[in-house]
């Protein structure tokens, strides 16, 4: 059978106030074209369809139309919730999804709901463990629903996830293609740069050993960089179909196509996806920035100029698509070198202290200091 593996769409993402809706529509259209060309039997969307737990109507429209278009290619479609998604809200879409022939598992329920089965047009049977994102707070409750004993359940987050997968993997067959999808951080994998940090560290990482050797392929979401992970079976992250923020501008936007049978190893191919509006970081003085041809890219700009009032506006006049403007960190003084002793502050006026504060951080600017004096005088005299 052939599988199209994708994840981490993050529809609804707003980057420094700029909507990415057009980019998401283009990315999902490209993904549908891949499905038309590759004709997969199964499409797995491994979580984080949305960027927020409260998606807008437009975001929901983009996601549901994207899923429907993937289903119309003839593939079965299975979707799980990620840490950015509202799992119960995704499950509320199940009546629509069921009618459309799409399987949605937004949050953890009874075990029997999370072993999805099917048969390809060629007669191959497949079984898929579909485990949505589980928070640490919810892991114990999930263990209770799976009827695990206290000794089995009350261990660590990693062991709880391992127990849940172990229970579900008991439904794997000897002559079936056995699959797992989850939204997890696996130890040894590389972060993509835009993930939610609280859900990639602090006890959320699990070892690859939580996946059974009987699995033919494990389709993961959560880390945005496409990559394989060493383990007891083939494990992969598909990567995001577009860079989510500037920390991911170097990532290749991809989907993954996997060919596998019950008796042969999974063979995975990364399929590059076009990015309509790339993200790019540029550096330079105002003179250097004025000579750049940045095309349609959204920009993060590190300005190599002394800080001063109005500098951001000058940069944005030169580069209208600059969403983030910062002073190049190389030009800023080391804050540890600043004299912060109470003795250095004694007897000095607020204006002098403010000017000194700006100077310590490389922001010395007479216009800003004058504005401070005027505002301070207004407050004192009022």
């Amino acid at each position: 059978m052939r599988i199209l593996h994708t994840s981490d769409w993050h529809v609804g993402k707003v980057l420094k106030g700029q909507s990415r809706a057009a980019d998401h529509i283009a990315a999902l259209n490209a993904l549908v074209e891949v499905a038309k060309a590759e004709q997969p039997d199964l499409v797995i969307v491994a979580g984080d369809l949305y960027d927020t737990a409260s998606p807008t109507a437009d975001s929901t429209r983009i996601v549901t139309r994207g899923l429907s278009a993937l289903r119309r290619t003839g593939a079965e479609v299975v979707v799980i919730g990620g840490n950015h998604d509202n799992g119960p809200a995704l499950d509320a879409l199940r009546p629509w999804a069921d009618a459309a022939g799409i399987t949605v598992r937004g949050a953890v329920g009874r075990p029997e709901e999370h072993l999805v089965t099917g048969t390809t047009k060629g007669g191959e049977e497949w079984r898929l463990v579909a485990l949505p994102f589980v928070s640490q707070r919810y892991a114990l409750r999930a263990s209770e629903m799976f009827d695990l004993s206290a000794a089995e359940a009350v261990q660590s987050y990693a062991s709880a996830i391992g127990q849940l997968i172990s229970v579900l993997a008991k439904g794997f067959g000897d002559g079936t293609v056995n699959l797992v999808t989850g939204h997890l951080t696996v130890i040894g994998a590389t972060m993509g740069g835009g993930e939610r940090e609280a859900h990639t560290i602090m006890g959320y990482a699990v070892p690859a050993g939580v996946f059974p050797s009987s699995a033919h392929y494990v389709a993961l979401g959560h880390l945005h960089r496409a990559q394989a992970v060493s383990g007891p079976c083939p494990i992969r992250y598909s990567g995001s179909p577009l860079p989510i923020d500037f920390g991911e501008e170097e990532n290749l936007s991809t989907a993954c196509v996997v060919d596998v049978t019950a008796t042969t190893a999974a063979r995975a191919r990364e399929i590059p996806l076009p990015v309509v509006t790339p993200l790019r970081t540029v550096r330079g003085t105002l003179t250097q920035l004025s000579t750049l041809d940045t095309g349609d890219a959204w920009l993060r700009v590190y300005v190599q100029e002394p800080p001063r009032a109005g500098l951001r506006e000058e940069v944005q006049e030169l580069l209208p698509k600059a969403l983030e403007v910062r002073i190049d960190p190389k030009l800023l003084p080391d804050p540890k070198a600043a004299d912060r002793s109470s003795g250095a502050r004694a007897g000095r006026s607020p204006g002098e202290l403010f000017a000194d504060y700006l100077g310590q951080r490389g922001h010395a600017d007479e216009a800003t200091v004058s504005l401070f004096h005027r505002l301070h005088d207004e407050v004192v005299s009022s």
Side-chain angles (χ1 to χ4, degrees), residues 193-264:
E195 301 86 355
R196 185 172 290 170
E197 185 174 350
H199 291 152
T200 53
I201 58 173
M202 296 172 60
Y204 272 93
V206 303
V210 299
F211 303 112
S213 58
S214 56
H216 291 90
Y217 181 71
V218 176
L220 294 180
H222 191 34
L223 302 188
H224 297 173
R225 181 173 297 176
Q227 60 192 292
V229 182
S230 298
C233 54
I235 305 168
R236 289 194 70 91
Y237 288 94
S238 66
S240 176
L242 78 166
I244 302 304
D245 62 28
F246 288 106
E248 301 182 9
E249 60 185 282
E250 300 298 329
N251 292 356
L252 181 65
S253 297
T254 63
C256 189
V257 172
V258 182
D259 292 300
V260 62
T261 73
T263 57
T264 58

Side-chain angles (χ1 to χ4, degrees), residues 33 91 175 177 202 268 284 351:
E33 291 304 311
D91 283 332
V177 178
M202 296 172 60

Side-chain angles (χ1 to χ4, degrees), residues 21 36 49-50 52 82 99 103 111 121 144 169 173 189 218 221 238 260 271 281 306 330 340 353 370:
K36 290 178 179 178
L49 287 83
Y50 298 105
T52 172
T103 301
K121 294 177 182 177
E144 291 172 350
V218 176
S238 66
V260 62
I271 307 295
T281 297
K330 296 177 182 178
R340 300 174 181 173
L353 292 172
S370 296

Side-chain angles (χ1 to χ4, degrees), residues 136 139 152-153 155-165 184-185 187 203-211:
Q136 287 183 323
E152 290 174 317
Q155 298 288 327
S156 65
Y157 181 80
S159 64
I161 295 298
Q163 291 287 355
L164 299 181
I165 293 174
L184 298 162
T185 301
I187 295 170
Y204 272 93
V206 303
V210 299
F211 303 112

